[in-house]
Amino acid sequence: MDWGERVLGVRRYSRNGERAPHKPLLLLYALGRFRNEGAGPIEFSAAEDDLDRLLREFGPPRPTSPGYPFHHLTNDDRLWLVETANGGGSPGSGVGPLRAQRAAGRLHPDLAAALTEDRGLLARLARVLLDATFAPSLHADICQMVGLDLEDAELAVHARPEVVRRDPAFRQDVLEAYEFSCAFCGYDGWLGGVAVGLDAAHVRWRTYGGPDSLGNGLCLCALHHRLFDRGVLGLTGERVITVSQKYIARADTSRSNVLALSGRPAGEPQTGLPVVDPQHIDWHTRQVFRRPARAA
């Protein structure tokens, strides 16, 4: 059985086209529990807070319920099972019934057996889920929260080529277009003749159809790239920087490095080169940015 293709089949979009990583996050959480505690059941009431935090941190901008993936992942063949304390199946996605009936989920026995037999499978499946669902800058944070260590993981061999392959010229093209300077803060550090701390950020994530093109790229420093992918920072259609009202900054450095960006025009690429396409900005605003924006 090709488990990589099976987990790639897990829904990542809602019916209205919204980014919906609920099931991949639950699977990553279950893989972390399997790695650290074995194949035992995961009671919903014990996992609820962890799943809620994962969804708040890495899910869509709107509020969502941890009961949704806990129940609905059972619809994906041979990945996840849910039983209640009296031996019945899942009572639905409502958190009240899941708590009251002491619902517990676990990886399907076939998947658990495959993970036990092939020690490298867990890391490969986790890598497939991460590469297919989340921007690369978020992978380390997600792994830390679910108890996975993918530092030495084998690159997933089952992922579709468009998921794992990035145009090797994209980074250099974007950095050159913005003259090796962060479009948000102007950082332009070099070491030994090489730019350091600068990334080519995708505005619309590649995992959700974003192309490797200048119209979908921004040169950002590592800090602002991470915050852009987390939804702290965004852009208007006129390429003015926005800051989420939900972001809290107490230290002077946080205020000067983040809050002070609100209302500031983003840096532009060299004359004659494509600016960020408004349709990609719109996707990021709807799917990633944590609205509402602070007043400039």
Side-chain angles (χ1 to χ4, degrees):
M1 179 179 296
D2 191 334
W3 290 105
E5 287 295 329
R6 190 170 294 275
V7 300
L8 273 175
V10 170
R11 182 188 292 272
R12 298 180 291 123
Y13 295 93
S14 65
R15 288 183 176 85
N16 64 3
E18 181 185 54
R19 184 173 65 90
H22 308 65
K23 291 180 180 180
L25 283 170
L26 174 57
L27 269 176
L28 287 164
Y29 180 77
L31 290 172
R33 290 285 292 264
F34 182 91
R35 176 182 182 270
N36 296 303
E37 302 175 21
I42 303 170
E43 191 163 329
F44 176 77
S45 60
E48 181 180 358
D49 287 346
D50 290 339
L51 293 175
D52 182 62
R53 184 182 174 201
L54 282 167
L55 288 167
R56 282 189 287 109
E57 294 273 353
F58 306 108
R62 64 172 178 81
T64 189
S65 167
Y68 176 88
F70 203 89
H71 165 71
H72 286 289
L73 188 57
T74 60
N75 296 327
D76 290 81
D77 186 38
R78 301 172 80 176
L79 291 178
W80 180 250
L81 296 176
V82 174
E83 293 180 341
T84 58
N86 62 11
S90 174
S93 60
V95 296
L98 287 167
R99 293 178 193 142
Q101 299 184 43
R102 295 184 58 195
R106 59 191 174 97
L107 294 175
H108 191 284
D110 290 348
L111 176 54
L115 291 169
T116 301
E117 181 178 343
D118 180 356
R119 293 185 176 274
L121 178 61
L122 187 148
R124 295 198 301 274
L125 293 185
R127 177 60 66 192
V128 168
L129 288 165
L130 290 167
D131 286 341
T133 316
F134 302 100
S137 69
L138 305 182
H139 293 184
D141 290 342
I142 294 171
C143 288
Q144 183 177 26
M145 286 183 64
V146 301
L148 291 172
D149 180 5
L150 296 187
E151 183 176 351
D152 299 317
E154 175 185 348
L155 184 64
V157 296
H158 298 291
R160 291 188 287 266
E162 64 269 24
V163 170
V164 299
R165 290 180 187 167
R166 171 173 169 161
D167 184 348
F170 176 72
R171 181 178 188 276
Q172 189 67 18
D173 289 347
V174 170
L175 267 59
E176 285 182 354
Y178 286 84
E179 299 185 277
F180 298 89
S181 177
C182 176
F184 285 2
C185 70
Y187 169 84
D188 61 354
W190 289 70
L191 177 67
V194 178
V196 292
L198 286 172
D199 300 331
H202 288 84
V203 178
R204 182 185 183 116
W205 298 354
R206 292 186 66 253
T207 52
Y208 292 90
D212 285 335
S213 65
L214 285 180
N216 189 41
L218 277 173
C219 178
L220 295 178
C221 68
L223 171 65
H224 292 137
H225 185 187
R226 179 74 63 88
L227 295 180
F228 188 67
D229 286 345
R230 289 292 289 269
V232 172
L233 298 174
L235 286 173
T236 69
E238 293 73 34
R239 298 180 299 284
V240 172
I241 302 168
T242 55
V243 180
S244 172
Q245 201 175 88
K246 299 179 181 179
Y247 175 78
I248 306 300
R250 296 184 177 89
D252 289 342
T253 51
S254 299
R255 289 193 288 267
S256 62
N257 290 333
V258 182
L259 295 188
L261 296 175
S262 181
R264 181 185 298 177
E268 298 283 319
Q270 295 181 42
T271 302
L273 294 179
V275 298
V276 181
D277 192 313
Q279 67 174 335
H280 299 319
I281 295 175
D282 179 66
W283 181 91
H284 184 274
T285 301
R286 289 183 293 104
Q287 304 279 10
V288 180
F289 184 66
R290 302 289 172 169
R291 291 170 286 178
R294 286 173 173 263

